[in-house]
Amino acid sequence: MALILTEEQEMLQDAASGFLTENAPVAALRQLRDSKNPDGFSRSLWQEMAAMGWAGIIVDEEFGGSDFGYVGAGVLAEQMGRHLTASPFFSTSVLGATAIQRYGSAKQKEQYLGSICDGSTLFALAVDEGPHHRPEHIEFSAKPHGNGYILSGSKTFIADGNIADKLIIAARTSGKVADSSGITLFLVNADAEGIKRTHTPMIDSRNAADIEVDGLEVTGDDILGTIDGGNIALEGILSAGRAVLSAEMSGSSQQAFAITVDYLKEREQFGQKIGSFQGLQHRAAHLATEIEMTKSAVLKSLQLLDDDFESASATCSMAKAKSGDTAQLSTKEAIQMHGGIGVTDEYDVGLYFKRVHVAQQMFGDAGFHADRLARRSGY
């Protein structure tokens, strides 16, 4: 498939750009940060997004979704990355919707997909248990109890975990801590008795949470997918998340670069525009090529999720690694080319740097995915 957007996808891109420019610019993020908004996003804005079909962008039409697929989700995420838009889109409309639509029972689909589409139910994925992304390392336990299970353990770095209505928790139902099999996904109420949530504000002014679970009773109806087979579902959910997060970082890279190019054209030093300095031109040209390669890698991963979801894992890892490296390069170059003022809060480039620093760590940084791809290739 050609690495270009269709006419409908381009129309979605234009509509998203216009809406976010007017309703969710970087200034809106600053306002949320400075007002110490406990949610970390505007609930009224999220309802507007849901009304436009964004919340259900990957959900089938029979459940009230837009059915625009992962390329459509990536188009929206890229624009959100350009504007640093804070919303539950990633945690709910990508991770939550993928989990329910791909691996949920008929009852779960009927119960939750509609509420994802209308923006009334927020989801969060709880997978990591330490400071680094290790999805194969699950110690969080689910022990048989009567007709169900007892959940116990802790999870960290849960995006939007502080405001989620539902938590998707990866727990170990059999095997050893590092076994890839023996994992089961559970869908539970985030405010259930036995769950303690600790809000952990991030440097990018977004919200996350750690949770501690002690003796939470669940039933078979709370299982998402199959018992002991949750590693397959978890890999699919993470692949979707990595690809869409890559699209967001691509958008942030593009915008940070655009801001920097404008600055190079305006700033004067030694009586001439600094954009005329050959050294800065070379650095800008190198960054431009990296951004274009990243856009291609991201689009390919999104297309593959739509066309052959089960085989997209490696490509999504490649996109996550590339987009993370490029986003860090773009924002670091933006700060350096702005000089000392680049690190001040007055300029937006510092906000982009903070966001991509968090995003590239989420679900594995470039080193994690390079190692993962090497092991898959037998190296």
Side-chain angles (χ1 to χ4, degrees):
M1 179 178 290
L3 294 176
I4 57 174
L5 298 179
T6 65
E7 184 177 351
E8 284 187 330
Q9 290 161 353
E10 287 182 342
M11 291 174 62
L12 176 64
Q13 184 181 62
D14 292 341
S17 176
F19 177 82
L20 295 176
T21 298
E22 181 177 351
N23 297 282
V26 178
L29 177 67
R30 289 181 179 276
Q31 194 278 329
L32 288 168
R33 180 199 64 180
D34 296 343
S35 66
K36 293 180 169 43
N37 184 297
D39 291 333
F41 71 100
S42 167
R43 289 186 178 268
S44 61
L45 179 66
W46 178 239
Q47 287 302 314
E48 290 185 59
M49 292 179 178
M52 293 189 296
W54 292 11
I57 192 73
I58 67 171
V59 178
D60 293 341
E61 292 181 356
E62 64 177 297
F63 297 106
S66 304
D67 198 16
F68 252 79
Y70 289 98
V71 175
V75 166
L76 295 180
E78 181 182 301
Q79 293 304 313
M80 291 179 185
R82 279 184 172 272
H83 296 83
L84 295 182
T85 303
S87 79
F89 177 78
F90 175 70
S91 57
T92 296
S93 301
V94 178
L95 301 179
T98 297
I100 302 298
Q101 180 156 276
R102 286 276 173 181
Y103 307 106
S105 64
K107 180 180 178 180
Q108 288 168 334
K109 292 178 182 179
E110 190 67 33
Q111 186 174 0
Y112 296 116
L113 287 179
S115 63
I116 288 177
C117 295
D118 65 21
S120 60
T121 303
L122 304 180
F123 285 74
L125 176 66
V127 54
D128 289 317
E129 300 178 4
H132 301 291
H133 182 56
R134 298 174 66 190
E136 75 288 348
H137 188 97
I138 302 295
E139 188 173 357
F140 192 106
S141 69
K143 298 186 180 300
H145 177 76
N147 294 325
Y149 290 86
I150 296 290
L151 303 185
S152 298
S154 61
K155 297 288 184 179
T156 64
F157 197 26
I158 305 170
D160 292 330
N162 60 307
I163 49 89
D165 302 303
K166 293 286 182 177
L167 293 174
I168 300 168
I169 302 177
R172 181 157 298 285
T173 43
S174 66
K176 299 180 181 179
V177 170
D179 289 348
S180 59
S181 59
I183 297 171
T184 303
L185 300 184
F186 292 89
L187 181 61
V188 303
N189 291 326
D191 59 356
E193 186 175 351
I195 297 180
K196 178 184 177 182
R197 287 191 283 182
T198 303
H199 179 206
T200 55
M202 311 301 290
I203 63 168
D204 59 351
S205 303
R206 309 296 178 91
N207 286 325
D210 296 341
I211 64 168
E212 293 181 8
V213 180
D214 184 16
L216 176 63
E217 295 187 24
V218 295
T219 69
D221 290 339
D222 299 316
I223 294 174
L224 188 62
T226 60
I227 299 174
D228 291 343
N231 58 302
I232 297 174
L234 183 59
E235 180 60 28
I237 297 166
L238 290 175
S239 293
R242 288 163 180 158
V244 176
L245 196 58
S246 297
E248 183 194 331
M249 287 193 289
S250 175
S252 294
S253 299
Q254 294 170 49
Q255 189 61 25
F257 178 64
I259 293 171
T260 304
V261 169
D262 287 343
Y263 184 76
L264 294 179
K265 293 176 180 179
E266 296 171 358
R267 172 67 172 167
E268 288 190 6
Q269 197 170 34
F270 307 115
Q272 56 186 313
K273 306 293 186 184
I274 63 173
S276 66
F277 299 161
Q278 192 175 57
L280 295 183
Q281 290 177 351
H282 287 170
R283 289 166 65 177
H286 171 244
L287 181 53
T289 59
E290 293 297 311
I291 288 174
E292 289 303 315
M293 286 191 290
T294 298
K295 288 166 64 177
S296 295
V298 171
L299 182 54
K300 182 62 178 179
S301 69
L302 295 166
Q303 289 176 341
L304 194 54
L305 283 170
D306 284 331
D307 296 338
D308 191 4
F309 187 89
E310 285 73 20
S311 68
S313 176
T315 306
C316 293
S317 276
M318 177 190 67
K320 184 64 166 60
K322 182 61 180 177
S323 63
D325 274 348
T326 300
Q328 289 202 93
L329 175 64
S330 178
T331 54
K332 286 178 180 178
E333 287 286 65
I335 288 175
Q336 290 183 16
M337 292 188 194
H338 275 75
I341 61 172
V343 297
T344 65
D345 192 60
E346 180 183 354
Y347 284 78
D348 290 342
V349 290
L351 299 178
Y352 285 92
F353 174 80
K354 291 176 182 178
R355 173 54 188 162
V356 302
H357 182 76
V358 173
Q360 64 90 24
Q361 289 284 343
M362 187 175 290
F363 295 169
D365 60 10
F368 171 90
H369 288 289
D371 179 68
R372 187 168 184 261
L373 290 169
R375 285 188 282 110
R376 286 175 66 106
S377 301
Y379 293 102

